[in-house]
Amino acid sequence: MRHVYVHVPFCARRCSYCDFSIAVRKRIPAREYVDAVLQELRFLGMTDPGREPGDAKDGLETIYFGGGTPSLLPPDALGTLLTSLRDAFPATSFRDDVEVTLEANPESHDAARIAAAVRTLRDAGIDNISLDLIFALPADLGRDWARDLDQALALRPAHLSVYGLTVEERTPLARWISRGAAAAPTDDLYADEYLLAHSRLGACGYQFYEVSNAARDGRRSRHNSAYWSGRSYGGLGPAAHSFDGAVRRWNISAWEAYRRAVAAGRSPVASQEVLTDEQRELERVYLAMRTDAGLPVAALCRPLPPSAARWLERGWAEVRNQRLVCAPEGWLRLDALVRDLTGCGITG
Ligand code: SF4
């Protein structure tokens, strides 16, 4: 295993659109959290009979602290987690260029706070910075997407993620929409804002290397790229997922239940799914078409059936270096494209 995800479930409050597995806390139980994750790490070591403490077959290439709001953890808690992860993997294969990602929340959607947070990071010597932006917000908010894109670009982050808002059930936003207090975003707004992000970011030297992610100067997320290329990864913490190439497991999502399980020496795994050959093939096609790697043309049946050929005719997909890749308009219709491609029988 070369890629580890650590889920930090705590947030100061719940955002109106969010249905993630989080624990809202005024005081972050950092010590209890670190103890629980370390117990899970020890538990994983104990369940692998071929592994001695401090000895793993593979070293780490990427570590991703996601949430929740991992930046709420105090520095010593993060330091302990990193040191423990390093000690769990042999120094020889803990790569010098290990990529460590930490999601952070500048605590306000005020643009000045975001600029100040970016300055603070750069002053501390961290320049590989990514900003997350959400588009297709309800019109009532009076959002100016072009202005927000330009403000983000003015900070020259190495990486930008743009996510379309989805209205999840059981969120305050869904309730506001159902009682008419807010209007659901339209498909047209979604498409217009997504395509505007492509043209604005492209003009500033960013390359979309995945449906929602763009980087300049090749600074792609190595951790997320591992997910998209189907590599195995391990997850620690409540709600974290793991994948070994065939089986996907996920942990108990509620923080307290997770903590009690590992404290009692029980596995925190809530459930697992063994992927069938058909599911793995569908997932492989879907993941490949999410990225600018696409699929080798040689793997597609020839001639393409009309349902798949129209993607090329309409410019929603193109052939680049002998690979079929999505254009931005194709990424907007990714599910339909994968249906058309898998219906034509991809061969390898
Ligand atoms: S900060 Fe992120 S994880 Fe926490 S509630 Fe808001 S959207 Fe959800």
mmCIF file of all heavy atoms in Angstrom, residues 35-57 88 236 261-268:
data_model
loop_
_atom_site.group_PDB
_atom_site.id
_atom_site.type_symbol
_atom_site.label_atom_id
_atom_site.label_comp_id
_atom_site.label_asym_id
_atom_site.label_seq_id
_atom_site.Cartn_x
_atom_site.Cartn_y
_atom_site.Cartn_z
ATOM 1 N N ASP A 35 -5.248 9.024 19.359
ATOM 2 C CA ASP A 35 -5.162 7.699 19.993
ATOM 3 C C ASP A 35 -5.944 6.668 19.177
ATOM 4 O O ASP A 35 -5.484 5.539 18.965
ATOM 5 C CB ASP A 35 -5.723 7.741 21.422
ATOM 6 C CG ASP A 35 -4.748 8.420 22.376
ATOM 7 O OD1 ASP A 35 -3.594 8.661 21.969
ATOM 8 O OD2 ASP A 35 -5.159 8.725 23.508
ATOM 9 N N ALA A 36 -7.144 7.070 18.733
ATOM 10 C CA ALA A 36 -7.986 6.122 17.998
ATOM 11 C C ALA A 36 -7.345 5.732 16.670
ATOM 12 O O ALA A 36 -7.309 4.547 16.310
ATOM 13 C CB ALA A 36 -9.372 6.734 17.764
ATOM 14 N N VAL A 37 -6.806 6.708 15.952
ATOM 15 C CA VAL A 37 -6.187 6.386 14.655
ATOM 16 C C VAL A 37 -4.950 5.522 14.853
ATOM 17 O O VAL A 37 -4.709 4.574 14.099
ATOM 18 C CB VAL A 37 -5.861 7.682 13.873
ATOM 19 C CG1 VAL A 37 -5.037 7.369 12.624
ATOM 20 C CG2 VAL A 37 -7.145 8.399 13.479
ATOM 21 N N LEU A 38 -4.182 5.823 15.902
ATOM 22 C CA LEU A 38 -2.994 4.999 16.158
ATOM 23 C C LEU A 38 -3.406 3.580 16.529
ATOM 24 O O LEU A 38 -2.744 2.602 16.148
ATOM 25 C CB LEU A 38 -2.135 5.621 17.258
ATOM 26 C CG LEU A 38 -1.543 7.000 16.936
ATOM 27 C CD1 LEU A 38 -0.515 7.405 17.986
ATOM 28 C CD2 LEU A 38 -0.916 7.038 15.558
ATOM 29 N N GLN A 39 -4.526 3.458 17.274
ATOM 30 C CA GLN A 39 -5.008 2.103 17.595
ATOM 31 C C GLN A 39 -5.417 1.366 16.325
ATOM 32 O O GLN A 39 -5.152 0.177 16.168
ATOM 33 C CB GLN A 39 -6.209 2.189 18.550
ATOM 34 C CG GLN A 39 -5.768 2.099 20.001
ATOM 35 C CD GLN A 39 -6.839 2.600 20.943
ATOM 36 O OE1 GLN A 39 -7.653 3.460 20.593
ATOM 37 N NE2 GLN A 39 -6.823 2.090 22.150
ATOM 38 N N GLU A 40 -6.050 2.081 15.412
ATOM 39 C CA GLU A 40 -6.434 1.433 14.153
ATOM 40 C C GLU A 40 -5.187 1.014 13.376
ATOM 41 O O GLU A 40 -5.140 -0.069 12.801
ATOM 42 C CB GLU A 40 -7.299 2.366 13.300
ATOM 43 C CG GLU A 40 -7.802 1.633 12.054
ATOM 44 C CD GLU A 40 -8.607 2.500 11.099
ATOM 45 O OE1 GLU A 40 -8.774 3.704 11.338
ATOM 46 O OE2 GLU A 40 -9.053 1.940 10.081
ATOM 47 N N LEU A 41 -4.186 1.873 13.381
ATOM 48 C CA LEU A 41 -2.942 1.549 12.672
ATOM 49 C C LEU A 41 -2.310 0.291 13.270
ATOM 50 O O LEU A 41 -1.868 -0.611 12.544
ATOM 51 C CB LEU A 41 -1.994 2.746 12.781
ATOM 52 C CG LEU A 41 -0.807 2.820 11.838
ATOM 53 C CD1 LEU A 41 -1.243 2.745 10.388
ATOM 54 C CD2 LEU A 41 -0.034 4.112 12.077
ATOM 55 N N ARG A 42 -2.294 0.223 14.616
ATOM 56 C CA ARG A 42 -1.739 -0.970 15.272
ATOM 57 C C ARG A 42 -2.580 -2.192 14.931
ATOM 58 O O ARG A 42 -2.068 -3.277 14.681
ATOM 59 C CB ARG A 42 -1.691 -0.773 16.795
ATOM 60 C CG ARG A 42 -0.495 0.047 17.270
ATOM 61 C CD ARG A 42 -0.326 -0.057 18.778
ATOM 62 N NE ARG A 42 -1.396 0.608 19.501
ATOM 63 C CZ ARG A 42 -1.397 1.902 19.791
ATOM 64 N NH1 ARG A 42 -0.395 2.670 19.443
ATOM 65 N NH2 ARG A 42 -2.394 2.447 20.446
ATOM 66 N N PHE A 43 -3.901 -1.996 14.913
ATOM 67 C CA PHE A 43 -4.808 -3.096 14.609
ATOM 68 C C PHE A 43 -4.532 -3.636 13.209
ATOM 69 O O PHE A 43 -4.464 -4.838 12.988
ATOM 70 C CB PHE A 43 -6.255 -2.608 14.709
ATOM 71 C CG PHE A 43 -7.261 -3.682 14.490
ATOM 72 C CD1 PHE A 43 -7.613 -4.539 15.514
ATOM 73 C CD2 PHE A 43 -7.847 -3.854 13.254
ATOM 74 C CE1 PHE A 43 -8.526 -5.556 15.306
ATOM 75 C CE2 PHE A 43 -8.760 -4.862 13.027
ATOM 76 C CZ PHE A 43 -9.105 -5.716 14.065
ATOM 77 N N LEU A 44 -4.304 -2.752 12.254
ATOM 78 C CA LEU A 44 -3.996 -3.188 10.891
ATOM 79 C C LEU A 44 -2.707 -3.979 10.871
ATOM 80 O O LEU A 44 -2.600 -4.998 10.199
ATOM 81 C CB LEU A 44 -3.885 -1.982 9.952
ATOM 82 C CG LEU A 44 -5.190 -1.254 9.652
ATOM 83 C CD1 LEU A 44 -4.918 0.001 8.843
ATOM 84 C CD2 LEU A 44 -6.144 -2.167 8.912
ATOM 85 N N GLY A 45 -1.697 -3.510 11.642
ATOM 86 C CA GLY A 45 -0.425 -4.217 11.707
ATOM 87 C C GLY A 45 -0.610 -5.603 12.277
ATOM 88 O O GLY A 45 -0.042 -6.578 11.772
ATOM 89 N N MET A 46 -1.466 -5.704 13.307
ATOM 90 C CA MET A 46 -1.656 -6.990 13.971
ATOM 91 C C MET A 46 -2.415 -7.972 13.095
ATOM 92 O O MET A 46 -2.265 -9.167 13.224
ATOM 93 C CB MET A 46 -2.432 -6.793 15.269
ATOM 94 C CG MET A 46 -1.578 -6.199 16.369
ATOM 95 S SD MET A 46 -2.424 -6.190 17.950
ATOM 96 C CE MET A 46 -3.879 -5.247 17.611
ATOM 97 N N THR A 47 -3.276 -7.447 12.200
ATOM 98 C CA THR A 47 -4.073 -8.366 11.396
ATOM 99 C C THR A 47 -3.307 -8.865 10.187
ATOM 100 O O THR A 47 -3.765 -9.726 9.488
ATOM 101 C CB THR A 47 -5.364 -7.687 10.900
ATOM 102 O OG1 THR A 47 -5.004 -6.507 10.184
ATOM 103 C CG2 THR A 47 -6.279 -7.350 12.051
ATOM 104 N N ASP A 48 -2.131 -8.294 9.926
ATOM 105 C CA ASP A 48 -1.329 -8.755 8.806
ATOM 106 C C ASP A 48 -0.183 -9.607 9.352
ATOM 107 O O ASP A 48 0.795 -9.097 9.877
ATOM 108 C CB ASP A 48 -0.767 -7.541 8.046
ATOM 109 C CG ASP A 48 0.075 -7.973 6.856
ATOM 110 O OD1 ASP A 48 0.356 -9.178 6.747
ATOM 111 O OD2 ASP A 48 0.445 -7.098 6.068
ATOM 112 N N PRO A 49 -0.296 -10.934 9.277
ATOM 113 C CA PRO A 49 0.695 -11.798 9.920
ATOM 114 C C PRO A 49 2.093 -11.645 9.319
ATOM 115 O O PRO A 49 3.077 -11.967 9.955
ATOM 116 C CB PRO A 49 0.157 -13.212 9.679
ATOM 117 C CG PRO A 49 -0.804 -13.087 8.545
ATOM 118 C CD PRO A 49 -1.325 -11.700 8.570
ATOM 119 N N GLY A 50 2.172 -11.121 8.096
ATOM 120 C CA GLY A 50 3.479 -11.004 7.472
ATOM 121 C C GLY A 50 4.197 -9.717 7.825
ATOM 122 O O GLY A 50 5.256 -9.435 7.324
ATOM 123 N N ARG A 51 3.583 -8.937 8.707
ATOM 124 C CA ARG A 51 4.135 -7.606 8.930
ATOM 125 C C ARG A 51 4.572 -7.421 10.369
ATOM 126 O O ARG A 51 3.814 -7.607 11.298
ATOM 127 C CB ARG A 51 3.036 -6.589 8.583
ATOM 128 C CG ARG A 51 3.488 -5.185 8.751
ATOM 129 C CD ARG A 51 2.472 -4.294 8.101
ATOM 130 N NE ARG A 51 2.476 -3.014 8.762
ATOM 131 C CZ ARG A 51 1.538 -2.124 8.614
ATOM 132 N NH1 ARG A 51 0.510 -2.370 7.866
ATOM 133 N NH2 ARG A 51 1.618 -0.986 9.243
ATOM 134 N N GLU A 52 5.843 -7.077 10.525
ATOM 135 C CA GLU A 52 6.359 -6.757 11.855
ATOM 136 C C GLU A 52 6.111 -5.278 12.113
ATOM 137 O O GLU A 52 6.024 -4.492 11.183
ATOM 138 C CB GLU A 52 7.867 -7.007 11.891
ATOM 139 C CG GLU A 52 8.265 -8.447 11.633
ATOM 140 C CD GLU A 52 7.748 -9.366 12.711
ATOM 141 O OE1 GLU A 52 7.696 -8.938 13.874
ATOM 142 O OE2 GLU A 52 7.366 -10.510 12.397
ATOM 143 N N PRO A 53 6.017 -4.883 13.414
ATOM 144 C CA PRO A 53 5.868 -3.454 13.693
ATOM 145 C C PRO A 53 7.020 -2.688 13.052
ATOM 146 O O PRO A 53 8.176 -3.089 13.140
ATOM 147 C CB PRO A 53 5.925 -3.386 15.223
ATOM 148 C CG PRO A 53 5.558 -4.757 15.684
ATOM 149 C CD PRO A 53 6.024 -5.706 14.617
ATOM 150 N N GLY A 54 6.700 -1.600 12.403
ATOM 151 C CA GLY A 54 7.736 -0.776 11.786
ATOM 152 C C GLY A 54 8.261 -1.365 10.493
ATOM 153 O O GLY A 54 9.280 -0.944 9.986
ATOM 154 N N ASP A 55 7.565 -2.368 9.985
ATOM 155 C CA ASP A 55 8.039 -2.974 8.748
ATOM 156 C C ASP A 55 6.842 -3.245 7.842
ATOM 157 O O ASP A 55 5.970 -4.012 8.158
ATOM 158 C CB ASP A 55 8.758 -4.286 9.074
ATOM 159 C CG ASP A 55 9.166 -5.023 7.811
ATOM 160 O OD1 ASP A 55 9.400 -4.359 6.791
ATOM 161 O OD2 ASP A 55 9.237 -6.264 7.875
ATOM 162 N N ALA A 56 6.786 -2.570 6.746
ATOM 163 C CA ALA A 56 5.742 -2.849 5.769
ATOM 164 C C ALA A 56 6.420 -3.106 4.430
ATOM 165 O O ALA A 56 7.518 -2.646 4.193
ATOM 166 C CB ALA A 56 4.799 -1.667 5.658
ATOM 167 N N LYS A 57 5.726 -3.879 3.599
ATOM 168 C CA LYS A 57 6.383 -4.253 2.337
ATOM 169 C C LYS A 57 6.567 -3.052 1.432
ATOM 170 O O LYS A 57 7.541 -2.940 0.709
ATOM 171 C CB LYS A 57 5.568 -5.324 1.645
ATOM 172 C CG LYS A 57 5.555 -6.658 2.375
ATOM 173 C CD LYS A 57 4.773 -7.694 1.571
ATOM 174 C CE LYS A 57 4.306 -8.825 2.446
ATOM 175 N NZ LYS A 57 3.163 -8.417 3.279
ATOM 176 N N ALA A 88 5.564 3.426 10.715
ATOM 177 C CA ALA A 88 4.909 2.182 10.318
ATOM 178 C C ALA A 88 5.412 1.690 8.973
ATOM 179 O O ALA A 88 5.113 0.582 8.555
ATOM 180 C CB ALA A 88 3.397 2.381 10.266
ATOM 181 N N LEU A 236 -7.749 5.403 7.031
ATOM 182 C CA LEU A 236 -7.762 5.393 8.496
ATOM 183 C C LEU A 236 -8.755 6.446 8.971
ATOM 184 O O LEU A 236 -8.892 7.497 8.355
ATOM 185 C CB LEU A 236 -6.376 5.726 9.049
ATOM 186 C CG LEU A 236 -5.232 4.757 8.755
ATOM 187 C CD1 LEU A 236 -3.887 5.410 9.082
ATOM 188 C CD2 LEU A 236 -5.407 3.471 9.553
ATOM 189 N N ALA A 261 -15.070 1.286 18.933
ATOM 190 C CA ALA A 261 -14.663 0.006 18.317
ATOM 191 C C ALA A 261 -13.152 -0.189 18.432
ATOM 192 O O ALA A 261 -12.696 -1.244 18.891
ATOM 193 C CB ALA A 261 -15.092 -0.035 16.845
ATOM 194 N N VAL A 262 -12.365 0.814 18.044
ATOM 195 C CA VAL A 262 -10.906 0.600 18.072
ATOM 196 C C VAL A 262 -10.406 0.533 19.513
ATOM 197 O O VAL A 262 -9.465 -0.209 19.808
ATOM 198 C CB VAL A 262 -10.127 1.672 17.254
ATOM 199 C CG1 VAL A 262 -10.356 1.490 15.771
ATOM 200 C CG2 VAL A 262 -10.468 3.083 17.684
ATOM 201 N N ALA A 263 -11.066 1.295 20.435
ATOM 202 C CA ALA A 263 -10.637 1.254 21.841
ATOM 203 C C ALA A 263 -10.854 -0.149 22.416
ATOM 204 O O ALA A 263 -10.102 -0.594 23.284
ATOM 205 C CB ALA A 263 -11.394 2.292 22.660
ATOM 206 N N ALA A 264 -11.877 -0.850 21.919
ATOM 207 C CA ALA A 264 -12.168 -2.201 22.410
ATOM 208 C C ALA A 264 -11.392 -3.265 21.638
ATOM 209 O O ALA A 264 -11.612 -4.462 21.829
ATOM 210 C CB ALA A 264 -13.671 -2.474 22.316
ATOM 211 N N GLY A 265 -10.515 -2.825 20.737
ATOM 212 C CA GLY A 265 -9.704 -3.787 19.981
ATOM 213 C C GLY A 265 -10.463 -4.453 18.849
ATOM 214 O O GLY A 265 -10.038 -5.483 18.332
ATOM 215 N N ARG A 266 -11.614 -3.850 18.477
ATOM 216 C CA ARG A 266 -12.387 -4.435 17.366
ATOM 217 C C ARG A 266 -12.046 -3.724 16.070
ATOM 218 O O ARG A 266 -11.669 -2.551 16.069
ATOM 219 C CB ARG A 266 -13.894 -4.291 17.628
ATOM 220 C CG ARG A 266 -14.427 -5.046 18.815
ATOM 221 C CD ARG A 266 -15.963 -5.159 18.735
ATOM 222 N NE ARG A 266 -16.612 -3.863 18.572
ATOM 223 C CZ ARG A 266 -16.962 -3.053 19.557
ATOM 224 N NH1 ARG A 266 -16.725 -3.397 20.799
ATOM 225 N NH2 ARG A 266 -17.551 -1.910 19.312
ATOM 226 N N SER A 267 -12.225 -4.439 14.963
ATOM 227 C CA SER A 267 -12.020 -3.804 13.657
ATOM 228 C C SER A 267 -13.071 -2.709 13.468
ATOM 229 O O SER A 267 -14.256 -2.924 13.732
ATOM 230 C CB SER A 267 -12.175 -4.840 12.544
ATOM 231 O OG SER A 267 -12.339 -4.175 11.317
ATOM 232 N N PRO A 268 -12.656 -1.527 12.985
ATOM 233 C CA PRO A 268 -13.646 -0.477 12.733
ATOM 234 C C PRO A 268 -14.325 -0.607 11.371
ATOM 235 O O PRO A 268 -15.111 0.255 10.997
ATOM 236 C CB PRO A 268 -12.791 0.798 12.794
ATOM 237 C CG PRO A 268 -11.448 0.363 12.309
ATOM 238 C CD PRO A 268 -11.279 -1.072 12.745
#
